[in-house]
Each structure stands twice: as structure tokens, then as C-alpha cells.
Amino acid sequence: FDAVVDFSTRSLAEMKQAISVLRDKVSLYIFMSSHAVYDVSKNKTHQEPYSLESDAVRPGREISPMDRWALKEKSVRGDTDLECEEELLKQYNAGGFPFVTLRLANVFGPKENTIRYWLLHLWVKACVGLTMPLHLDISLKELPISLTYTPDIAQAVRLAISKGLNETCCAEKVHSEAFNLACEEMPDQRVLYNYIG
């Protein structure tokens, strides 16, 4: 295969199986990971208001095993996605196939198939139409929501394949790299609901 784009691997066992099956059969592997990897990583070492790709690092022996376990338990999705990323890097460093990781935030837009946005849209529209109050979770009211727009995912995949296969340039700049994919705007719950309403 020239390229494999993996939207479905969600466990270390599945990733090991994909690596085994695709060994010596793929020129570029693109893994769709999640921004949840930062939930199980070390604290940021910079002052930026957002996460950088380099922030997804598991803590080592500098913290206690109990603290590492607690961090791992913070996000099952983040832990398994980070395990998959680590396994891809391990096979690449052992002479395996090149890969690119795209870390998605909360996905919304055309062809988004989790129906989360659609259910939220129906709920907001129903409350507005029926002039009912829209209840917000107070603890999340001002928490910024990181979003990834579906057409941006398609564009990122196209660019990763183009660069990863050295069609445009710079394969070395994307091989074994992770890229965060999110909108610049990060609305809070109230702003998002106002957009929908």
C-alpha cells in the first residue's frame, strides 16, 4: 500500500496486529490519535495556553508508581492512544514503516459519525424553539472546548500523505511525528451553544 489511514485502532493489541500485518507492505501509516493523550502525560513545561505536540510524554521515574497509575487512569482513551503512538514509534525505530500521527480534538462537521454534535444540535434547537431554559454544567461553563473540523482532517491526511511519500517535499519532517489538529477558536460551553442556537 502507498498509504494506510487508520481511524479505528483503539487498543495496543489492535495496533500490534496492524503493525504485524502491514510490516513491509506499507509506505506510510497515518494514525488518528486523540488530544486525550495529554491527559495522561507530564505537565506542560511552557506557558502557551494550548498543548504542544511535545507535551505528550509519559512521566518516568521522577514520580511515584502510584502517581503514574493515577495519571494513567485519568483517561482510558488517552492512555490507549498514547500506547498506540509509543508502539508505532518503537517499530519505526526498529526499522519499521514510517508513520504520521494526527491528534484530533472533539470532532465536528460534515460526515462526523458519532452523532454527538447532532444530538447537541437537536437539544439546543428544541430548547430554543420551545423557549425552555438551556441548562449548563456550571463546572464546565468557562472551560474551553477544543474542536477539530472534519474537512480539516481530510486536508491534513492529504498533506501528510503528500509529504510522507515525498511527493511535495520533506518526508523526514513528517515521519514519526505527531501533529495536533484543532481549530484556533476554543469556545466555552455557552459560546458553543450560542453558535448552534
Side-chain angles (χ1 to χ4, degrees):
F1 301 100
D2 288 333
V4 170
V5 182
D6 182 356
F7 281 88
S8 60
T9 294
R10 289 292 163 249
S11 73
L12 182 58
E14 290 172 358
M15 180 56 73
K16 286 181 176 182
Q17 182 182 32
I19 290 168
S20 172
V21 168
L22 294 171
R23 186 170 283 116
D24 300 322
K25 294 183 180 109
V26 64
S27 298
L28 180 67
Y29 184 89
I30 300 176
F31 176 57
M32 296 298 158
S33 188
S34 163
H35 68 299
V37 297
Y38 300 110
D39 293 339
V40 297
S41 300
K42 290 180 180 179
N43 290 332
K44 298 193 276 193
T45 57
H46 55 82
Q47 300 304 315
E48 299 296 334
Y50 42 81
S51 296
L52 299 175
E53 288 82 351
S54 57
D55 292 336
V57 177
R58 281 194 200 275
R61 297 186 184 274
E62 70 273 7
I63 67 171
S64 76
M66 293 303 290
D67 288 342
R68 279 198 307 272
W69 183 257
L71 194 58
K72 185 176 175 151
E73 291 293 305
K74 267 178 87 175
S75 171
V76 173
R77 170 79 188 266
D79 182 55
T80 55
D81 279 354
L82 194 53
E83 283 180 338
C84 290
E85 290 184 26
E86 291 165 342
E87 191 66 24
L88 277 170
L89 184 60
K90 184 171 123 185
Q91 70 81 34
Y92 178 73
N93 288 337
F97 52 79
F99 71 96
V100 174
T101 298
L102 299 178
R103 293 185 182 138
L104 310 180
N106 297 294
V107 177
F108 77 105
K111 302 191 181 309
E112 187 273 322
N113 63 1
T114 65
I115 72 166
R116 288 180 306 177
Y117 177 78
W118 177 242
L119 292 174
L120 178 61
H121 182 85
L122 285 175
W123 180 56
V124 170
K125 290 295 190 179
C127 287
V128 169
L130 297 171
T131 63
M132 294 174 58
L134 189 62
H135 300 284
L136 302 176
D137 183 335
I138 298 301
S139 67
L140 301 174
K141 193 171 85 173
E142 295 181 11
L143 183 70
I145 301 169
S146 187
L147 301 168
T148 302
Y149 189 50
T150 52
D152 293 341
I153 299 169
Q155 181 76 356
V157 167
R158 187 188 66 73
L159 288 169
I161 291 171
S162 179
K163 287 187 183 244
L165 297 178
N166 213 16
E167 293 172 353
T168 53
C169 82
C170 321
E172 69 281 355
K173 292 187 178 181
V174 296
H175 287 177
S176 78
E177 294 293 331
F179 299 95
N180 291 333
L181 214 55
C183 300
E184 289 181 11
E185 283 184 336
M186 290 179 42
D188 60 29
Q189 196 177 39
R190 183 183 303 275
V191 171
L192 179 63
Y193 292 0
N194 283 333
Y195 284 161
I196 295 168

